[in-house]
């Protein structure tokens, strides 16, 4: 229907690129799409820039605070051309992103303790770990909270561990997020079985 712009997560972009005969569709009306909701591997960014006849913008934000930072379409074009290609990838952990602005929430409903942990002196502690380069480009590298983002959905490791530990053969379980080309991240569980079980 002559869409000119859309917002999607990594999984959606991957699925769209996997549609048989994608190159045969008329996408000439498409000017730009914005992506976010979790990690987007640089290989997927490059493939999407080849597959779609438009520019891309990466957005970073949270439910608690709307759009906070963006990687512009010009930055994408330059990075793919070899000018600061690391801007499509992760950097090193330096510290937690803390933001202040009118777009931030005022608190969690009926959860004053969680609100006090998250909002301190008007600053919202996002739970995202990041670093930045000399030009102040922000690189989100990890989450301070035990959370895995898969297909744009937040998955808490503790909740998955709790479910796995209900199995009678499980002695111990640890859950982590691992990179996934389709979902951004997938859940991986390390399980120690009780002696005598299999």
């Amino acid at each position: 229907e002559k869409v000119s712009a859309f917002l999607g997560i990594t999984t959606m972009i991957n699925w769209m690129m996997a549609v048989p005969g994608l190159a045969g569709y008329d996408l000439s009306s498409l000017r730009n799409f914005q992506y976010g909701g979790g990690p987007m591997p640089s290989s997927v960014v490059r493939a999407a820039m080849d597959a779609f006849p438009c520019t891309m913008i990466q957005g970073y934000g949270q439910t608690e605070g709307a759009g906070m930072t963006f990687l512009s379409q010009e930055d994408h074009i330059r990075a793919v051309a070899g000018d600061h290609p690391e801007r499509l990838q992760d950097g090193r952990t330096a510290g937690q992103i803390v933001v202040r602005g009118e777009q931030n929430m005022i608190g969690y409903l009926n959860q004053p303790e969680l609100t006090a942990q998250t909002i301190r002196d008007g600053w919202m502690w996002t739970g995202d770990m990041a670093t930045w380069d000399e030009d102040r480009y922000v690189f989100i590298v990890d989450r301070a909270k035990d959370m895995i983002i898969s297909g744009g959905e937040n998955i808490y490791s503790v909740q998955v561990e709790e479910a796995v530990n209900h199995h009678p053969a499980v002695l111990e379980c640890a859950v982590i997020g691992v990179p996934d080309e389709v979902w951004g991240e997938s859940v991986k569980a390390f399980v120690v079985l009780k002696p005598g079980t299999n």
Side-chain angles (χ1 to χ4, degrees):
E1 298 296 325
K2 302 297 183 187
V3 170
S4 60
F6 71 91
L7 169 65
I9 61 172
T10 303
T11 304
M12 294 167 63
I13 307 304
N14 272 334
W15 286 352
M16 290 172 72
M17 289 190 296
V19 170
L22 176 65
Y25 286 89
D26 179 8
L27 302 176
S28 60
S29 64
L30 195 56
R31 296 191 317 259
N32 182 272
F33 71 82
Q34 182 177 331
Y35 65 94
M40 175 89 119
S42 61
S43 60
V44 176
V45 173
R46 292 173 191 276
M49 290 185 72
D50 287 338
F52 296 100
C54 66
T55 57
M56 297 167 56
I57 297 174
Q58 180 189 60
Y60 165 69
Q62 296 183 321
T63 303
E64 294 88 346
M68 298 173 191
T69 65
F70 297 89
L71 187 65
S72 74
Q73 57 262 26
E74 294 83 6
D75 288 321
H76 280 80
I77 293 166
R78 285 192 293 263
V80 168
D83 181 10
H84 291 290
E86 74 279 359
R87 290 185 178 152
L88 300 180
Q89 302 169 5
D90 291 340
R92 292 185 175 180
T93 301
Q96 189 171 160
I97 296 175
V98 181
V99 296
R100 183 179 188 136
E102 294 296 320
Q103 79 280 7
N104 290 350
M105 68 171 185
I106 57 173
Y108 292 104
L109 181 63
N110 299 325
Q111 296 187 48
E113 291 179 12
L114 183 56
T115 298
Q117 291 172 7
T118 305
I119 301 175
R120 304 176 214 162
D121 296 322
W123 290 89
M124 186 176 75
W125 291 67
T126 66
D128 290 323
M129 303 303 289
T131 187
W132 59 25
D133 66 14
E134 65 279 0
D135 295 318
R136 297 194 179 237
Y137 280 80
V138 176
F139 298 84
I140 299 163
V141 295
D142 203 354
R143 295 191 56 80
K145 300 172 185 174
D146 264 345
M147 186 187 297
I148 300 161
I149 302 176
S150 184
E153 293 294 327
N154 296 339
I155 300 168
Y156 290 94
S157 299
V158 173
Q159 291 178 335
V160 179
E161 290 165 359
E162 174 69 19
V164 172
N165 279 312
H166 276 70
H167 192 283
V170 173
L171 178 65
E172 292 180 302
C173 175
V175 170
I176 63 168
V178 294
D180 187 304
E181 289 287 321
V182 175
W183 297 100
E185 288 184 299
S186 288
V187 175
K188 184 170 187 174
F190 295 88
V191 178
V192 176
L193 296 177
K194 293 177 181 175
T197 62
N198 53 26

